Amino acid sequence: MPRMRPTRTLVASIGVAATAWVWFAIGMFRHTPPAAGWGLLVLAVPVAIYASWRAGAAGRTFWRYVSAGMVGMGLASAAAARDYFSGEQAGQHIGTVTATLYVTGLMLMLLGLLRIPGAQRSRIEWTRFGLDVATMVVTVTTFSWHLVLPRWESWTAGGGAAGTASVVVIATAAVIGMLAFVKVSFTGTGPIDRRALYILALTGAVGAGGGALAPLLADKPYLNTGHVLLPTTSMLVCLAADRQRRASRAGIPAPRPLSRRPSVMPYTAVLATGALLLTSAAAGVRDLLAVAAGSFVVTLLVATRQVIALRDNVRLLDDLDARQRQLAHQAGHDGLTGLANRTVLVREITAALAGGCPDVTVALLDLDDFKEINDDLGHPVGDALLAAVGARVTAQLPEGCLVARLGGDEYAVLLRGDHTAIVAAITADLRQPVRAGGHELIVEASIGLAPAHPGDTADELLRRADVAMYEAKGQGKGRQVVYDDRMDHRTAEQSRVAADLRGALDTDQLHLLYQPIVAMPGGELFGVEALVRWIHPERGPIGPNLFIPAAERTGLIVPLGAWILEEACRQAVRWQQEMGDAAPRTVSVNVSARQLREAGFAGEVDAVLRRTGLPPQVLTVEVTETAVFDGGTALDELKAIAALGVKIALDDFGTGHSSLGLLRTCPADILKVDKSFVDDVTGGGEPAVIVAALLTICDGMRLRAVAEGVETAEQAAELHRLGYRYAQGYHYARPMAAEGITVYRPAHRDSRVAA
Ligand code: C2E
Ligand code: MG
Ligand code: MG
């Protein structure tokens, strides 16, 4: 703290107080003019009012209350002076107005104390404080009753009951004030300097102790205790204000932790009154009953205080306990969903495995297309979805199971017992639309399952579940896959494939085959679908079902897809030149979801059409339902492509997020009915019904229906009977090189149709 010179107000107040005491001391021995004693007060009080008013910005409200309190005390001394000079109160007796003003001043200071922001107390603390004050008051009263009052009897005789009451009221108020200041300075003072409060507490002591001087002055009517007490009080207030200014200069003090130091005052009070009772009893004093009553009351008050303190301590311990539990919970749980985290889950899995549970399975659940939801609808919606999914999974878990969030949209579940049933319940529940941020979302999850074997660790199970989950993702959306040792090889292979694929683009290892899309029943060439092939220099042909997912995961699909698109368009132009009217009327190119999410994809399609000179209406872009299901960028790009005049086909229709509503938002021209329905179309069951219904929809919405994967004449006949007019499949032709298309002739007209 920088050294500071004491404020002028402080110097002045010390001067006034010293003068007052000297003057008072002289008065003890010889008569002094009373006007001088009262006159000093006119100097002392305004200085204190000014000093506390200017005590500083920190805790300004409190110091304004102190100022107001000093005004009250100043008025009290003015009233006392008036009483004295008008002769209304003889000697040391205090009038009611004086006492009221004095107590009001003191109460204003106490009010300021209550309004210190950092010093806000709980009800229990105030109760305890009240009990302390009561204890103090009863103790003091008991002692005064026994020691002081008998001696005062002669003195009070002249002043009457009212005068005595005033003295008692002032003394009591001063004691309460002192205790309050001490109490607050112990338990937290907010912005107020602690030592300033101690000093202010002394003013209470001065007020209370001053009463004791009164009997000494019984024979000196020209003196008044106020002549020294008020200058002393003023000096203390100036001193406190000075402390506050220094402390504020040095910076706001760090709040001191709440002190729970046990107070010795209650015990002292019990001991003191007890001792008084004993000595009085031994001396056979006549007011023994009063002393005994006082001692009893003090004991009762202290006992009550201790019971309250004890109960408070128990409550504090409970709070502490709850806080600790909450902290432990936070450490083991995910803030967003409230689910357990990885640490807790691993601990639980380890415990379950150690228990020799043969039926432990670890499931890893990853939401499909969560990234798109997050990107398109915003993070708050994404967060709400994650929480909702967590709640749904939790709701389906039987006793002993646990779900944790591992991060992102990935959840891990410890399952016990029949995992198939639990997983079925979870996926069924997840399929119900989830309300998140005002959106109705349909979520699907890819789930990998790893059943435990003897000797497995939690980490190994989580790893296997992860491998299985990736396998599930590769198979499409919303699948569940149980881990199998071969998957590890496949995962390794996929990374190898992705690495090799980079080189494949530059070294002509890739080429396109074209599969005819034919008109039924004649089987005449209507269009072709371009299908990519990769001949690996060492490993031979690799199917797109293996490398397309790898390319999608690595993002390589973007340059790969661009190459495919350009190559197919070039070939289409070549056919037009070579074949004229017989050329395929449409050339289909598969476009993956990842490509559609690439901003500016439509622009690239346009550029390719311009470069190659292919009329837009010859090109068809094939996308799966899932790619555009969530709306957002993919759908926007698709609309832009359609606006170019390019046709849009919904591929593998019926296997993905089949939503008929999609047909209204998505600018589709062609619907490719998935092979899985075609396979069973001759069985007459559900697939046949679906195939028939899809055709009705296509007719109603002016979409061209293409049946995919037609392998047999029976399927072809049935499809034609149902009304299908376009088909694709091995029954007509396998994917072939571009030259094959030039010479393509229908192999066979469907005999039954012909008949
Ligand atoms: P897709 O778009 O549904 O293509 C049809 C697939 O079914 C092709 O498999 C085709 O050879 C096969 N197929 C056609 N008729 C029959 C049949 O009668 N029976 C059977 N069993 N299969 C038939 P492919 O060429 O192996 O392609 C598989 C998938 O890989 C494609 O399904 C497509 O999703 C993807 N794909 C192929 N080429 C490309 C491409 O250039 N770009 C992108 N993004 N994906 C491609
Ligand atoms: Mg396709
Ligand atoms: Mg298909």
Side-chain angles (χ1 to χ4, degrees), residues 37 227 267 350 372 422 493 503 510 739 749:
H227 292 176
Y267 305 105
T350 310
E372 282 80 87
I422 308 173
E493 181 163 290
L510 296 166
E739 302 75 51
R749 231 184 120 82

Side-chain angles (χ1 to χ4, degrees), residues 386-401:
L386 290 176
V389 168
R392 289 210 178 171
V393 174
T394 310
Q396 296 302 328
L397 292 184
E399 193 77 19
C401 297

Side-chain angles (χ1 to χ4, degrees), residues 529 590 622 651-652 672 674-675 708:
E529 176 177 3
N590 292 285
E622 287 194 11
D651 205 355
D652 306 341
K672 298 188 81 172
D674 191 67
K675 179 176 184 302
E708 277 192 290

Side-chain angles (χ1 to χ4, degrees), residues 512 515 529-533 543-545 547-548 552 557 560-561 564 589-593 595 622 624 651-652 672 674-675 679 708-712 715 728-731 733-735:
L512 297 184
Q515 184 177 33
E529 176 177 3
L531 296 162
V532 67
R533 293 292 178 265
N545 284 331
F547 71 85
I548 293 290
E552 283 175 346
I557 191 71
L560 178 63
I564 293 168
V589 174
N590 292 285
V591 168
S592 79
Q595 286 171 277
E622 287 194 11
T624 59
D651 205 355
D652 306 341
K672 298 188 81 172
D674 191 67
K675 179 176 184 302
D679 283 346
E708 277 192 290
V710 182
E711 291 184 336
T712 66
Q715 288 167 352
Q728 182 182 353
Y730 295 172
H731 172 61
R734 293 195 169 242

Side-chain angles (χ1 to χ4, degrees), residues 30-100:
R30 43 176 295 225
H31 185 278
T32 48
W38 293 107
L40 280 173
L41 302 190
V42 180
L43 289 176
V45 176
V47 170
I49 295 172
Y50 176 77
S52 47
W53 190 264
R54 300 286 315 272
R60 173 168 289 149
T61 316
F62 168 74
W63 288 103
R64 298 274 144 109
Y65 272 100
V66 174
S67 275
M70 283 312 292
V71 170
M73 292 191 186
L75 292 176
S77 28
R82 193 193 63 105
D83 286 351
Y84 176 78
F85 288 113
S86 68
E88 249 173 56
Q89 296 289 340
Q92 306 307 318
H93 296 290
I94 299 167
T96 326
V97 178
T98 307
T100 310

Side-chain angles (χ1 to χ4, degrees), residues 199-262:
I199 296 167
L200 288 177
L202 286 180
T203 65
V206 167
L213 283 174
L216 296 175
L217 306 178
D219 56 342
K220 298 180 180 64
Y222 52 90
L223 289 183
N224 185 289
T225 47
H227 292 176
V228 278
L229 297 187
L230 220 55
T232 309
T233 302
S234 295
M235 183 195 73
L236 289 172
V237 168
C238 289
L239 196 63
D242 186 61
R243 281 264 7 139
Q244 179 72 55
R245 284 175 61 122
R246 283 162 187 267
S248 305
R249 255 344 126 73
I252 303 275
R256 206 165 71 160
L258 221 122
S259 157
R260 298 215 143 251
R261 212 184 311 182

Side-chain angles (χ1 to χ4, degrees), residues 602 606 609 616 636-648 667 669:
D606 189 31
L609 290 171
D636 292 342
E637 289 295 322
L638 207 64
K639 284 179 179 160
I641 294 170
L644 296 172
V646 172
K647 301 258 176 309
I648 308 290
D669 306 284

